[in-house]
Amino acid sequence: MYIENNLINKKIIMKISAVIVSRNDNYGGHLNERATYCLNSAIDTYDEVFYIDWNSPEHSLLYDIKDNINFKGNLKHIVISPEIASYLTNHNKEAQKCCEVLSRNMGLRRMENEWMVSTNIDIIAPKREELESAISKMNQNTFYTISRRATDWETILKYNNGEYNFQNWKNTRDYLIDNSEERHFKETVMDGDNYSIINCCGDFQIAHKNVWNEIRGFEEDLIYPGHADTNVQKKAVMHGFELKALYQPAFFHINHGTGGGGFLDTDKFGQRNPKYQDYYRAILGQNKTENLDTWGFSNTEIEYEIF
């Protein structure tokens, strides 16, 4: 009986991987500071982090901020230089600016752990125990998008500088939760569709490795900006998986002041910028991936270094 009870009460050990992509162009300002803060939170939360620097003009962002990163040996760094980006996009300069979404596949298809996260450099990762609690309730045949909350860099900076009398990060999170709103899932790609559950860039999507392996990550033809998160959700549905939107655990996207996101300037997200209709049509016309050996960029592999 003791052995049986001990087995029942034994904590299930889970392993979580994440892929993060950025470009060293100071997008929206304060990029080094934002990236340092968010990357440290990712290293603390995930067992494995693929950090992919895409098409940076001079060198990887990581080389600029590494002295302030708390490395734990779980960060795998891939550099896609402008020369490699040009080759991968067949020298299409417009595509070189945008298809960092496909570089996520280089991390996703090489991850070693059971649960796999797709996120970005402006996202503060949830605390480990919060994420584990959420995953313990997740279905292995469901593709999840977790709604982000927005916060401004000035708030984070004041916390870092000690201007707020917060004792620890938990106090900071409590403050942010009380003073920020969730992004609600209410936008659809076109009237009547049943697969788009996000109203803007999701920035945090998680599924069991079996789901990611089956759908083969983001679509190889998606080399221009526009609703990549919806794209990968549709792929999940087309392969027979369920979709679910979550609002917990709470995590935060640091605003960078570029706005828009493909929609008109409105909080309602019901009005669509006409120039983005081609992206909607492209998503609607997307076919199920038949080449199961392809994960974007035709399975191109680039060696990584471990920090």
Coordinates of all heavy atoms in Angstrom, one line a residue, residues 11-12 14 16 126-138 146 246 248-249:
K11 N 5.0 13.4 -8.1 CA 4.8 14.5 -9.0 C 5.3 14.1 -10.4 O 6.3 13.6 -10.6 CB 5.6 15.7 -8.5 CG 5.5 17.0 -9.4 CD 6.3 18.1 -8.8 CE 6.4 19.3 -9.7 NZ 5.0 19.9 -9.9
I12 N 4.4 14.4 -11.3 CA 4.7 14.2 -12.7 C 5.7 15.2 -13.2 O 5.5 16.4 -13.1 CB 3.4 14.2 -13.6 CG1 2.5 13.1 -13.2 CG2 3.8 14.1 -15.1 CD1 1.1 13.2 -13.9
M14 N 7.5 17.3 -16.0 CA 7.3 17.7 -17.4 C 8.4 18.5 -17.8 O 9.1 19.2 -17.1 CB 5.9 18.4 -17.5 CG 5.9 19.7 -16.8 SD 4.3 20.6 -17.0 CE 3.1 19.5 -16.2
I16 N 9.6 21.4 -20.8 CA 9.0 22.4 -21.7 C 10.1 23.1 -22.5 O 11.1 23.5 -22.0 CB 8.2 23.4 -20.9 CG1 7.3 22.8 -19.9 CG2 7.4 24.4 -21.8 CD1 6.7 23.8 -18.9
P126 N 5.6 33.2 -18.3 CA 4.9 32.9 -17.1 C 5.9 32.3 -16.1 O 6.9 31.7 -16.5 CB 3.8 31.9 -17.4 CG 3.7 32.0 -18.9 CD 5.0 32.4 -19.4
K127 N 5.6 32.4 -14.8 CA 6.4 31.6 -13.8 C 6.3 30.1 -14.1 O 5.2 29.7 -14.5 CB 6.0 32.0 -12.4 CG 6.1 33.4 -12.1 CD 7.6 33.9 -12.1 CE 8.4 33.4 -11.0 NZ 9.8 34.0 -11.0
R128 N 7.3 29.4 -13.8 CA 7.4 28.0 -14.1 C 6.2 27.2 -13.4 O 5.5 26.4 -14.1 CB 8.7 27.4 -13.6 CG 8.8 25.9 -13.7 CD 8.9 25.4 -15.1 NE 8.9 24.0 -15.3 CZ 9.5 23.3 -16.2 NH1 10.1 24.0 -17.2 NH2 9.4 22.0 -16.3
E129 N 5.9 27.5 -12.2 CA 4.9 26.8 -11.5 C 3.5 27.1 -12.1 O 2.6 26.2 -12.2 CB 4.9 27.0 -10.0 CG 4.8 28.5 -9.6 CD 6.1 29.2 -9.5 OE1 7.1 28.7 -10.1 OE2 6.2 30.2 -8.8
E130 N 3.3 28.3 -12.6 CA 2.0 28.7 -13.2 C 1.8 27.9 -14.5 O 0.8 27.5 -14.8 CB 2.0 30.2 -13.4 CG 2.0 31.0 -12.2 CD 2.1 32.5 -12.4 OE1 2.3 32.9 -13.6 OE2 1.9 33.3 -11.5
L131 N 2.9 27.9 -15.3 CA 2.8 27.2 -16.6 C 2.6 25.7 -16.4 O 1.8 25.1 -17.1 CB 4.1 27.5 -17.4 CG 4.1 27.0 -18.9 CD1 2.9 27.6 -19.6 CD2 5.4 27.3 -19.5
E132 N 3.3 25.1 -15.4 CA 3.1 23.7 -15.2 C 1.7 23.4 -14.7 O 1.1 22.4 -15.2 CB 4.1 23.2 -14.0 CG 5.5 23.0 -14.5 CD 6.3 22.3 -13.4 OE1 5.8 22.1 -12.3 OE2 7.5 22.0 -13.7
S133 N 1.1 24.2 -13.9 CA -0.3 24.0 -13.5 C -1.2 24.1 -14.7 O -2.1 23.2 -14.8 CB -0.7 25.1 -12.5 OG -2.0 25.0 -12.1
A134 N -1.0 25.0 -15.6 CA -1.8 25.1 -16.8 C -1.6 23.8 -17.7 O -2.6 23.2 -18.2 CB -1.5 26.3 -17.6
I135 N -0.4 23.4 -17.9 CA -0.1 22.2 -18.8 C -0.7 21.0 -18.2 O -1.2 20.1 -18.9 CB 1.4 22.1 -19.0 CG1 1.9 23.2 -19.8 CG2 1.7 20.7 -19.6 CD1 3.4 23.2 -20.0
S136 N -0.8 20.9 -16.9 CA -1.3 19.7 -16.2 C -2.8 19.5 -16.6 O -3.3 18.3 -16.5 CB -1.2 19.7 -14.7 OG -2.0 20.7 -14.2
K137 N -3.5 20.5 -17.1 CA -4.9 20.4 -17.4 C -5.1 20.4 -18.9 O -6.2 20.3 -19.4 CB -5.6 21.6 -16.9 CG -5.5 21.8 -15.4 CD -6.3 23.1 -14.9 CE -6.1 23.2 -13.4 NZ -4.8 23.6 -13.0
M138 N -4.0 20.4 -19.7 CA -4.1 20.5 -21.2 C -4.2 19.1 -21.8 O -3.7 18.1 -21.2 CB -2.8 21.1 -21.7 CG -2.7 22.6 -21.5 SD -1.3 23.4 -22.3 CE -1.5 25.1 -21.8
I146 N -2.7 31.3 -25.7 CA -2.9 31.9 -24.4 C -2.9 33.4 -24.7 O -2.0 34.0 -25.2 CB -1.9 31.5 -23.4 CG1 -1.9 30.0 -23.2 CG2 -2.2 32.2 -22.1 CD1 -0.9 29.5 -22.1
L246 N -7.0 30.2 -24.0 CA -6.9 30.3 -22.6 C -6.5 31.7 -22.2 O -6.0 32.5 -22.9 CB -5.8 29.3 -22.1 CG -5.9 27.9 -22.4 CD1 -4.7 27.1 -21.9 CD2 -7.2 27.3 -21.8
Q248 N -5.2 32.1 -18.8 CA -4.3 31.8 -17.7 C -3.3 30.8 -18.2 O -3.7 29.9 -19.0 CB -5.0 31.3 -16.5 CG -5.9 32.3 -15.8 CD -5.2 33.5 -15.3 OE1 -4.0 33.4 -14.9 NE2 -5.9 34.7 -15.2
P249 N -2.0 30.8 -17.8 CA -1.5 31.8 -16.8 C -1.4 33.2 -17.5 O -1.3 33.3 -18.7 CB -0.2 31.2 -16.5 CG 0.2 30.5 -17.7 CD -1.0 29.9 -18.2

